[in-house]
């Protein structure tokens, strides 16, 4: 792993970029809402979500190893499902990244309240945007390096939190007002206090947390030996995510009964701030610092991912030509445009600081699972075209074919069903569908529909 890649991303960078985009605000902040909805049964939801993500990533991995390209899954969708699918997948991913970025920027504003309660949130959001924007405009190498350290801090913190939480459970530190123990998982209204409905409505928030893992496909084109680094990254990410998410939330639920996790602060900080010890406020402060680096790192990798996809699309004439401009391997125009769009997020934080997060999380979920669905469908279509011999030749074939793929596809369709069924997701659903309709119209009016060539 020691030699530099032509584009500047080492294997360790790819592992960490994938982890970095997955361990973000969804885990550190969004988990509170999921816990409120499902109670302890949220653990099952994370497991199910993890399985779906695994099958989606394996499908992506199979295609990425066979064909590492800059446009990644938007390119696979175009090849296997036709021009429109490629166009809409690429733009939906860019849309997802922008929205997730706004969510992360928003969460960062919320974390800063921990220290500076009086300062309006948009000030922090604007500062964060300036820092990350500058890094992303400099070089791929600097981006990869920063992402590596950001993620290292995050991962270390989550592990420390799991260990610290376990110590509290085993040795009973702190004078808590409430009992601590595994029995919290069923004491208060049972394991599934809000019934299956509560558990089902947590799906949206949990899938939001896993959004961004598909960035592995985007890194393939910047990697030196995709046939080695991609399978490794794809196989380790689900294991690590399940470890981090399921263990971390298990610890949170044992220490703070699920009703106490309100989301006024991150559940992670809450573990320590609820201990009422002199040192624990210090720990909560350190954790809060970690959460801020986590948000910065997620924003960092989202701008990277969106920038690469849009540039790849511009090269295929599916985005304005100006976006193909590279300087030092950085798609400078694309990144600059993204920063401008994200300033809109700063403005949103200025007008509606309270509602931003929930609205955005739902919208991001719509975009995320839409992209996953396209990845899975493109993969199924690619398999349909293969001869049995070609299937045997695959270097990194998906497991449990075809059942795993069908399970993941069904699960995603079910999640869209939840959005239709629960009125709280209707704004997000309308916005998502609206975006799809507008982009489809642009696709056909700009004549993109007639020029694309799909490979038969």
């Amino acid at each position: 792993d020691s030699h530099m890649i032509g584009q500047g991303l080492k294997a360790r960078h790819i592992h960490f970029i994938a982890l970095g985009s997955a361990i973000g605000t969804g885990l550190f902040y969004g988990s509170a809402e999921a816990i409120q909805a499902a109670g302890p049964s949220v653990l099952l939801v994370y497991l199910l979500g993890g399985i779906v993500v695994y099958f989606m990533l394996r499908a992506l991995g199979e295609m990425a190893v066979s064909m590492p390209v800059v446009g990644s899954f938007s390119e696979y969708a175009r090849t296997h499902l036709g021009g429109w699918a490629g166009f809409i997948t690429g733009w939906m991913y860019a849309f997802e990244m922008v929205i997730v970025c706004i969510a992360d920027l928003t969460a960062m504003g919320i974390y800063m309240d921990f220290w500076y309660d009086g300062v309006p949130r948009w000030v922090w959001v604007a500062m964060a945007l300036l820092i990350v924007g500058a890094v992303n405009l400099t070089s791929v190498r600097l981006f990869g390096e920063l992402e590596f350290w950001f993620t290292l801090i995050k991962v270390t913190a989550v592990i420390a939190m799991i260990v610290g939480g376990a110590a509290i459970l085993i040795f009973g530190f702190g004078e808590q007002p409430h009992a601590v123990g595994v029995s919290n998982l069923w004491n208060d209204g049972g394991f599934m206090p809000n019934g299956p409905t509560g558990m089902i409505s947590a799906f949206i928030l949990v899938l939001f947390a896993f959004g961004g893992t598909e960035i592995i496909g985007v890194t393939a084109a910047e990697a030196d030996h995709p046939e080695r680094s991609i399978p490794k990254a794809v196989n380790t990410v689900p294991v690590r995510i399940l470890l981090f998410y399921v263990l971390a939330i298990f610890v949170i639920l044992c220490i703070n009964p699920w009703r106490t996790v309100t989301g006024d602060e991150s559940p992670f900080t809450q573990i320590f701030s609820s201990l009422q010890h002199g040192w624990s406020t210090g720990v909560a402060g350190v954790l809060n610092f970690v959460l801020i680096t986590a948000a910065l790192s997620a924003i960092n990798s989202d701008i990277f991912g969106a920038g690469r996809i849009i540039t790849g699309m511009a090269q295929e004439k599916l985005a304005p030509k100006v976006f193909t401009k590279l300087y030092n391997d950085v798609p400078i125009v694309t990144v600059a445009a993204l920063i401008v769009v994200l300033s809109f997020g700063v403005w949103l934080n200025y007008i509606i600081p309270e509602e931003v997060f929930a609205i955005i999380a739902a919208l991001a979920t719509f975009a995320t699972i839409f992209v996953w669905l396209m990845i899975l469908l493109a993969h199924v279509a690619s398999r349909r075209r293969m001869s049995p011999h070609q299937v045997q030749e695959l270097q990194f074939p998906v497991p449990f074919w075809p059942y795993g793929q069908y399970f993941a596809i069904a699960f995603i369709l079910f999640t869209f069903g939840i959005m239709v069924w629960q009125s709280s997701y209707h704004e997000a659903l309308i916005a998502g569908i609206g975006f799809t309709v507008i982009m489809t119209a642009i696709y056909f009016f700009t004549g993109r529909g007639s020029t694309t060539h799909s490979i038969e």
Side-chain angles (χ1 to χ4, degrees):
D1 288 337
S2 60
H3 62 283
M4 285 308 300
I5 286 166
Q7 282 85 359
L9 288 183
K10 298 180 186 174
R12 68 181 170 102
H13 289 148
I14 291 175
H15 274 270
F16 273 83
I17 290 167
L19 262 180
S21 57
I23 302 179
T25 316
L27 172 61
F28 291 130
Y29 183 73
S31 53
E33 287 186 59
I35 291 170
Q36 280 304 304
S41 65
V42 77
L43 289 169
L44 279 182
V45 184
Y46 276 103
L47 276 170
L48 272 171
I51 294 167
V52 172
V53 170
Y54 179 68
F55 285 122
M56 181 276 299
L57 283 179
R58 284 298 299 252
L60 182 56
E62 179 180 303
M63 296 186 291
V65 171
S66 313
M67 176 181 158
V69 287
V70 174
S72 187
F73 35 82
S74 108
E75 199 50 34
Y76 307 142
R78 197 176 68 103
T79 306
H80 303 299
L81 301 171
W84 172 82
F87 179 80
I88 210 78
T89 304
W91 279 109
M92 188 62 86
Y93 175 73
F95 181 61
E96 171 201 340
M97 288 294 111
V98 164
I99 291 170
V100 170
C101 252
I102 295 177
D104 287 322
L105 285 164
T106 306
M108 208 188 112
I110 294 170
Y111 301 150
M112 290 305 281
D113 285 354
F114 182 85
W115 288 306
Y116 304 99
D117 208 10
V119 182
R121 280 178 195 168
W122 64 267
V123 176
W124 304 120
V125 178
M127 272 170 61
L129 191 52
L130 287 172
I131 297 168
V132 178
V135 169
N136 260 284
L137 287 170
T138 336
S139 78
V140 177
R141 179 73 201 280
L142 184 64
F143 158 76
E145 212 43 52
L146 191 70
E147 195 47 43
F148 177 77
W149 290 107
F150 271 166
T151 304
L152 198 61
I153 293 176
K154 271 199 294 210
V155 170
T156 313
V158 178
I159 293 170
M161 196 229 65
I162 292 172
V163 172
I168 293 172
L169 285 175
I170 299 162
F171 306 113
F173 291 139
E175 300 91 57
Q176 291 90 339
H178 51 254
V180 162
V182 182
S183 58
N184 277 336
L185 292 180
W186 54 84
N187 270 351
D188 189 358
F191 182 65
M192 210 183 282
N194 297 332
T197 353
M199 187 174 149
I200 288 170
S201 59
F203 279 9
I204 309 260
L205 291 153
V206 167
L207 288 180
F208 163 67
F210 289 132
T213 41
E214 66 278 11
I215 197 174
I216 292 183
V218 184
T219 59
E222 312 247 343
D224 197 11
H225 298 292
E227 71 290 345
R228 286 213 301 270
S229 58
I230 300 295
K232 258 180 160 167
V234 166
N235 284 330
T236 52
V237 163
V239 180
R240 293 181 195 185
I241 289 177
L242 288 179
L243 227 97
F244 288 144
Y245 275 81
V246 176
L247 262 180
I249 292 190
F250 175 77
V251 169
I252 287 174
L253 289 171
C254 290
I255 295 177
N256 293 316
W258 66 275
R259 276 184 218 275
T260 63
V261 183
T262 53
D264 294 335
E265 53 184 335
S266 163
F268 284 69
T269 340
Q270 194 176 330
I271 286 193
F272 293 99
S273 55
S274 68
L275 290 187
Q276 294 156 348
H277 247 298
W279 55 267
S280 67
T281 43
V283 176
V286 170
L287 256 177
N288 202 49
F289 165 74
V290 170
L291 296 180
I292 288 166
T293 54
L296 280 171
S297 122
I299 298 162
N300 198 17
S301 61
D302 295 341
I303 292 180
F304 174 82
R308 292 305 176 279
I309 285 273
I310 294 174
T311 304
M313 289 171 68
Q315 288 165 359
E316 298 295 331
K317 303 193 175 41
L318 295 175
K321 185 165 182 276
V322 62
F323 289 141
T324 55
K325 292 264 187 294
L326 288 176
Y327 171 78
N328 248 351
D329 278 340
V330 175
I332 222 136
V333 184
T334 317
V335 172
L338 284 168
I339 294 168
V340 171
V341 174
L342 288 172
S343 317
F344 170 69
V346 178
W347 179 71
L348 276 179
N349 273 288
Y350 178 65
I351 338 174
I352 44 163
E354 298 310 313
E355 297 89 54
V356 180
F357 195 79
I359 296 171
I360 282 173
L363 236 185
T365 305
F366 177 91
T368 302
I369 60 178
F370 184 94
V371 171
W372 291 358
L373 185 62
M374 292 311 241
I375 291 172
L376 287 158
L377 294 175
H379 174 253
V380 170
S382 76
R383 278 295 188 103
R384 291 244 164 96
R385 292 193 178 154
M386 288 181 195
S387 63
H389 174 67
Q390 283 173 307
V391 172
Q392 278 169 346
E393 294 280 285
L394 286 169
Q395 282 182 292
F396 187 46
V398 295
F400 307 117
W401 170 260
Y403 307 109
Q405 306 317 100
Y406 291 147
F407 167 76
I409 290 170
F411 191 92
I412 290 174
L413 292 173
F414 176 65
T415 310
F416 278 124
I418 299 171
M419 294 187 100
V420 174
W421 168 60
Q422 293 201 327
S423 55
S424 55
Y425 294 119
H426 285 179
E427 294 121 312
L429 196 62
I430 292 163
I433 294 169
F435 179 78
T436 314
V437 171
I438 292 166
M439 291 319 285
T440 303
I442 292 176
Y443 176 74
F444 288 108
F445 286 133
T446 52
R448 296 276 177 262
S450 54
T451 54
T452 47
H453 43 277
S454 81
I455 303 161
E456 279 304 339

